[in-house]
Structures are given as structure tokens and as C-alpha cells.
Amino acid sequence: PKDEQALFAQKGLVLCYIELGDDAAAEKAIEKLLTGFAGHKRIAQVVYELGMDCYRAKKFDRALELHQYNVEHFPKCQYTIWSQVEIIKSYIRDGHQQAADTAYEKLLSLFGSEPTLATEICRVADTYLAAGTLDKAEKLYTYVLDKWPDNKQILWAKAGMIKLDIARGDEDSAQSKIDNLMEDFKNHPDLSLALWRTAEGYYNRALADQKEGSQ
């Protein structure tokens, strides 16, 4: 029970109970994880990961609660900023705009000095884009571009602006920005991933056009 792997074994028990459909046992296992391993050096990581696992298992309320627990109990941790982003994304997906705005302000206030904040804001913008709230997405991408013009993280904001053009059907602007992205970030280690995510924008637009009966 004192071994580091016991924490991950406890998390594994939670997932087993979820897969078995035993919600009561899963809740007890979660409670044991949170109380029995409260001082573990990797508890924030496991709580974040378990929140993501619960989301994938469609246990959305529990996923949100776990991410909120992370933010409340471990405020200065990389996994905590990720949990705060997941809280915002959850509210966006559920259409709770006021709650999303409040959670976003909390992201800025708690993690304003974190070096990855620009990337996290882009993740929030990506969720607005996926939800079809294009004006909100554009506002956040623009905020990143204006605030951190020389930061390598603006790769994601520029890729987001391309996806906005694609969603709006502005093919010429999208292609021009793609050309600039490949030139400006040709040595960036994440360029290929950014282009792949941009390609997803075309794919999603094609699906939308197909659904509407367009050619």
C-alpha cells in the first residue's frame, strides 16, 4: 500500500468498476483515492487523468467534479491548469456560457504566470470553434496573437485562425495563411501536428457541406 504504484492501482480499480457498471463501488474507490493518497506527489496527475477517463466513459458530471477537485486542492501544478481548461471546455460543450466565462477568468487569474498559458487559451478557443461559436474562438485566438506575438505558442493561434477561415468558407484566406504558417514555423517541432489539425478543419467542413447536401 505504500508503494508509488498503489496510487495507479487505485485508479485502475475505479476504471474497472466504471466498466463493470458498478457506480457505487466506483464512487467508493474514488473517495479512497482522494483521501488515502492526498499527499502523494503524483495525485494531481492521477486526478486529472481519471477525470479524462471518466469523460471518455461518458461520466461527465464526475469528470467535471474531479477536475474541480484538482483546481481546489492543487493550485500550482501543470495538471491543474489542464483541469481548469477541461472545466471551461465542459461548460462550453454544455452551453453554459456564463459558467464558461467565469471559469476562463479563473484560468487567467490563477495561471497568468504559467509559461503555457497561451497554448491553454488556444485549447479553449478550439472548443468554441468545434461548438460553432466562431466569434468567441476568434476573440481568444486574437488575444493570444496580440499578447504573445513573439512566443512560439502562437503557432496554435495561427492554426486556429486558419480553421476559422475554413469554417467560414473563406478558402483564399485559409490557403494564404497556411502558406505563411509553413514558412514562418518551418523549424517548429509541432508544425506537422498543427497542419494535421488544420486538415481536420477541412474534413469537418466537408462533413457539414455533405450534411447540407452540398457538392
Side-chain angles (χ1 to χ4, degrees), residues 69-114:
Y69 183 93
N70 237 11
V71 174
E72 291 168 6
H73 290 80
F74 315 107
K76 296 298 181 182
C77 173
Q78 182 63 58
Y79 292 100
T80 307
I81 187 173
W82 292 345
S83 280
Q84 185 63 30
V85 169
E86 292 303 321
I87 291 168
I88 302 168
K89 290 166 63 178
S90 176
Y91 289 139
I92 293 171
R93 287 188 292 256
D94 290 343
H96 298 157
Q97 188 55 61
Q98 185 173 352
D101 289 342
T102 300
Y104 175 73
E105 291 303 321
K106 189 171 184 177
L107 174 73
L108 297 183
S109 64
L110 286 181
F111 304 101
S113 61
E114 289 294 320

Side-chain angles (χ1 to χ4, degrees), residues 9-191:
Q10 187 64 31
K11 173 192 169 188
L13 283 174
V14 176
L15 298 179
C16 286
Y17 290 133
I18 290 174
E19 288 296 322
L20 290 168
D22 191 340
D23 291 340
E27 289 300 315
K28 289 180 180 179
I30 290 173
E31 185 63 26
K32 185 174 181 179
L33 184 145
L34 297 179
T35 58
F37 298 91
H40 196 288
K41 64 182 180 180
R42 299 178 71 178
I43 182 64
Q45 172 189 344
V46 169
V47 172
Y48 166 77
E49 291 175 350
L50 186 57
M52 299 304 292
D53 290 329
C54 286
Y55 177 79
R56 286 186 284 269
K58 301 187 185 303
K59 303 291 184 180
F60 303 123
D61 289 343
R62 174 44 90 176
L64 178 60
E65 289 169 0
L66 285 167
H67 289 305
Q68 289 171 331
Y69 183 93
N70 237 11
V71 174
E72 291 168 6
H73 290 80
F74 315 107
K76 296 298 181 182
C77 173
Q78 182 63 58
Y79 292 100
T80 307
I81 187 173
W82 292 345
S83 280
Q84 185 63 30
V85 169
E86 292 303 321
I87 291 168
I88 302 168
K89 290 166 63 178
S90 176
Y91 289 139
I92 293 171
R93 287 188 292 256
D94 290 343
H96 298 157
Q97 188 55 61
Q98 185 173 352
D101 289 342
T102 300
Y104 175 73
E105 291 303 321
K106 189 171 184 177
L107 174 73
L108 297 183
S109 64
L110 286 181
F111 304 101
S113 61
E114 289 294 320
T116 64
L117 181 61
T119 294
E120 308 309 332
I121 293 174
C122 288
R123 291 176 61 201
V124 175
D126 288 344
T127 306
Y128 276 120
L129 179 58
T133 314
L134 305 188
D135 290 345
K136 276 278 190 180
E138 183 175 23
K139 181 179 178 179
L140 295 186
Y141 291 136
T142 302
Y143 175 78
V144 171
L145 291 170
D146 290 344
K147 187 172 180 62
W148 295 283
D150 300 319
N151 194 308
K152 291 183 178 180
Q153 295 178 73
I154 65 169
L155 167 71
W156 305 114
K158 287 184 175 289
M161 295 298 276
I162 295 170
K163 289 186 288 184
L164 274 171
D165 283 342
I166 295 169
R168 289 168 170 163
D170 193 341
E171 297 288 339
D172 291 339
S173 179
Q175 186 58 57
S176 176
K177 288 175 182 174
I178 289 171
D179 293 339
N180 290 335
L181 188 78
M182 290 191 291
E183 177 61 29
D184 295 342
F185 294 90
K186 58 186 176 184
N187 296 319
H188 196 291
D190 290 327
L191 175 60

